[in-house]
Amino acid sequence: MNKSRIKINPWSLFTLFFVVIGITLTARHCFPNPKIVQQSQHQYWRRINLEPTRGIIQDSRGNALVISESLPSFAVDPSLLEDDDFEELGKVLSQDLIAKIRKAKTSRSRFMWIGRKVTGDEFEQLRLIRRRVRGVMIYPEQYRRYTNKKLMSHVLGFCNIDNRGLAGIEQYWDSELYSPPGQRIVVRRPGSQASTLIQQDPEQESILPVVTLTIDSRIQYVVEKHLYQAASDNGAKWASAICMNPNTGEIIAMASYPTYDAADRRGLAIEALSNCVVSRGYEPGSTFKPIYLGIALERGWARKDEIFVCPARLKVADGFIKESYPVAFGNIDTAQLLIKSSNVGMAQIGIRTEASKIYDSLLSLGFGSATNVELPGVARGIVPLPENWRGVTPANIAIGQGLAVTPLQLVTAMAAIVNGGKLMSPYVVKEVTDSMGDVIYKGKPEVMREVFTPDTTAWIRSAMRRVVLEGTGKRAATDVTELAGKTGTAQVPEHGKYSRHKYVGSFIGFWPYENPQYLMLITIGEPTSGRIYGGELAAPPFKKIVEEMAELEYFS
């Protein structure tokens, strides 16, 4: 049987071979595996996030306090580095960083920072390294510049390396100041020794967000200058100052000591970061007496025409109340309790009061709760519960001891005395505009509640005027304006009892007396110079600030 032979044409095989090759090449080029495409592209380019733009913070007069500027940053693609490159990098970078880069190379990492927002010698060194080492890239990042160095540092706050707010206005308004990051593409050109960055899309002009404060930087400078000088001269552990418009609650200046430079926080003590005005609770001493006396007059626990018998010290339950100076005032009227700052006289009012009612009055004035101001870290202070007002506690509360307040709480409550009885909500931000230029927040006067009658507040104000004219506040008196105020000296509690060596001296005052526009509190905490009384510690710098502010008004 003959088997049929199949004859195959060689040209058919040749044609089939080229058809298969053509189909394969077409499939590979036109319809590649997405995973392979991604891997191949990653060898030549990668997308990285650009640092976001960040808005401006300015004072009430439109002066820029915080702006963003461009500084160069350097990164490296570890996968492109050879042994010689590590030797070059080791001439500039630390061994710890070199070890991290080697580890990144092993793990096939394609991006690592080696210097961010660099200037001066560091920039020059990295710029030279970039010329010699393959895979080093440079691109600009934003840097927050605080135009007046340390001025207003506790109010403004600061950002981290990625421009996210960590303190102050920068933190509280972070979501408004911060804009989402854009992107750029890192490209390694064939045969090149370094990678470069190109924009994915052309930059589009945008409006920067703006936070406008109520603070006047000129007044802030004056307040800080004299506060820091007084704190330094007296070896104080801490100090604070706040100036407010008592009629609106608008904060004009706010300063805290010790201070810091937001642009250089290396070696900074953690205590310096605290804004004492809003976060430090302390016993206010006699600066609290006008407020307490106002409550007592309103509730009928004291009369304006009353006479008090004031020995040098008074036995109260399980303790004693003593005058600041070891002297008996004898028979004095109610106004003299403030003018002479009599602890014994105020204690007699304190033991008359009903704990639950005085407690409610203190809460209604904002003590014991966080003040509603546009800043982070606001403390609540401490007002003891009525059931704990035992023994000498009611007398202590009447002289401003046995409770803790913040300077902001005290000023806010005192503003109600100054403005005729209205408790105003304090605010430090005048306006916020977003990246579209729209106003998204506007600070404005807000009356929280009526806490005193006009008659009571007028009487308290007249007594505070006499404090400066004839009482413990004479050192605050000035010829540039009629000033009224109250001194304060408080012992510092330590290990369950009051220290004999630690004090807080303060002065709170308002001016002009007939039509108050300013209310200010100066507090000097734990001085070591030997001076302890508010009249000698805080009243003199208060006077200097008032006089210099008057000069600013004259020349403005």
Side-chain angles (χ1 to χ4, degrees), residues 543-554:
K543 173 184 178 179
K544 292 176 182 177
I545 292 170
V546 171
E547 291 177 341
E548 204 158 329
M549 284 177 62
E551 291 181 12
L552 289 176
E553 289 182 352
Y554 179 79

Side-chain angles (χ1 to χ4, degrees), residues 363-409:
L363 294 188
S364 72
L365 283 161
F367 298 110
S369 60
T371 307
N372 184 28
V373 69
E374 312 98 323
L375 287 170
V378 179
R380 298 173 60 89
I382 300 172
V383 179
L385 294 172
E387 51 266 33
N388 296 326
W389 290 36
R390 304 185 185 93
V392 75
T393 299
N396 275 336
I397 297 290
I399 64 173
Q401 301 221 207
L403 77 167
V405 308
T406 66
L408 179 59
Q409 286 176 331

Side-chain angles (χ1 to χ4, degrees), residues 32-256:
N33 187 313
K35 185 177 293 186
I36 296 175
V37 171
Q38 184 179 18
Q39 291 176 347
S40 65
Q41 287 179 336
H42 231 58
Q43 297 177 16
Y44 296 98
W45 65 272
R46 67 179 301 229
R47 203 179 267 116
I48 65 169
N49 286 335
L50 280 178
E51 195 167 12
T53 56
R54 193 168 177 87
I56 297 169
I57 305 175
Q58 62 185 22
D59 76 349
S60 61
R61 301 169 65 88
N63 299 310
L65 303 170
V66 188
I67 60 176
S68 291
E69 294 182 342
S70 180
L71 283 181
S73 290
F74 290 82
V76 67
D77 183 344
S79 68
L80 301 179
L81 300 179
E82 305 294 340
D83 290 340
D84 292 345
D85 295 328
F86 282 103
E87 291 182 10
E88 287 290 334
L89 290 173
K91 297 176 182 178
V92 175
L93 308 180
S94 68
Q95 290 305 308
D96 287 344
L97 186 52
I98 293 295
K100 291 179 181 179
I101 297 174
R102 288 186 182 276
K103 184 177 180 180
K105 178 178 174 65
T106 303
S107 63
R108 298 183 179 180
S109 174
R110 303 302 310 275
F111 187 88
M112 185 173 178
W113 292 111
I114 59 175
R116 299 191 67 180
K117 305 179 185 181
V118 297
T119 58
D121 292 341
E122 185 181 5
F123 167 74
E124 292 299 330
Q125 291 173 342
L126 289 173
R127 186 171 62 86
L128 292 175
I129 284 294
R130 179 173 177 264
R131 293 177 177 176
R132 296 196 292 264
V133 177
R134 183 187 186 194
V136 173
M137 55 196 115
I138 179 175
Y139 75 98
E141 284 196 285
Q142 284 197 357
Y143 163 79
R144 293 298 269 174
R145 183 164 76 86
Y146 300 85
T147 59
N148 295 294
K149 302 290 185 181
K150 295 182 179 181
L151 187 75
M152 221 183 301
S153 58
H154 291 93
V155 175
L156 298 175
F158 53 86
C159 295
N160 63 11
I161 190 69
D162 294 313
N163 269 356
R164 299 311 302 260
L166 296 182
I169 292 292
E170 293 275 36
Q171 177 185 346
Y172 192 91
W173 296 96
D174 184 58
S175 60
E176 286 74 22
L177 290 167
Y178 182 88
S179 299
Q183 289 186 330
R184 284 189 181 179
I185 300 173
V186 181
V187 179
R188 181 169 67 85
R189 305 184 189 282
S192 69
Q193 294 298 309
S195 298
T196 58
L197 291 161
I198 63 172
Q199 292 179 340
Q200 184 178 0
D201 297 307
E203 287 189 2
Q204 296 180 349
E205 290 189 10
S206 62
I207 301 172
L208 287 176
V210 178
V211 174
T212 303
L213 305 182
T214 60
I215 293 177
D216 186 327
S217 58
R218 303 172 309 157
I219 295 175
Q220 178 77 19
Y221 171 77
V222 171
V223 170
E224 287 190 13
K225 178 177 68 173
H226 293 294
L227 177 71
Y228 297 163
Q229 187 66 54
S232 177
D233 289 347
N234 290 283
K237 180 180 178 180
W238 65 274
S240 70
I242 176 171
C243 183
M244 173 189 287
N245 182 333
N247 305 300
T248 63
E250 183 180 42
I251 295 172
I252 301 167
M254 180 186 290
S256 181

Side-chain angles (χ1 to χ4, degrees), residues 379-512:
R380 298 173 60 89
I382 300 172
V383 179
L385 294 172
E387 51 266 33
N388 296 326
W389 290 36
R390 304 185 185 93
V392 75
T393 299
N396 275 336
I397 297 290
I399 64 173
Q401 301 221 207
L403 77 167
V405 308
T406 66
L408 179 59
Q409 286 176 331
L410 185 62
V411 163
T412 301
M414 187 64 75
I417 296 285
V418 178
N419 68 32
K422 300 179 181 69
L423 187 70
M424 306 299 298
S425 179
Y427 62 103
V428 72
V429 174
K430 180 183 291 187
E431 187 178 272
V432 179
T433 58
D434 62 15
S435 57
M436 302 297 291
D438 297 327
V439 176
I440 58 174
Y441 176 84
K442 201 169 186 66
K444 58 184 179 181
E446 178 185 347
V447 179
M448 292 188 282
R449 51 192 162 270
E450 299 273 352
V451 289
F452 295 112
T453 61
D455 183 60
T456 296
T457 59
W459 188 89
I460 296 288
R461 289 197 303 272
S462 67
M464 293 178 70
R465 173 63 177 152
R466 292 177 64 188
V467 169
V468 175
L469 292 176
E470 57 189 87
T472 58
K474 289 180 180 178
R475 295 188 184 186
T478 174
D479 294 332
V480 301
T481 187
E482 290 185 333
L483 185 71
K486 183 69 189 76
T487 57
T489 306
Q491 292 174 283
V492 175
E494 190 175 49
H495 308 305
K497 59 182 180 180
Y498 286 107
S499 171
R500 294 183 178 181
H501 308 288
K502 295 181 179 180
Y503 296 85
V504 176
S506 52
F507 186 86
I508 189 166
F510 59 90
W511 72 99

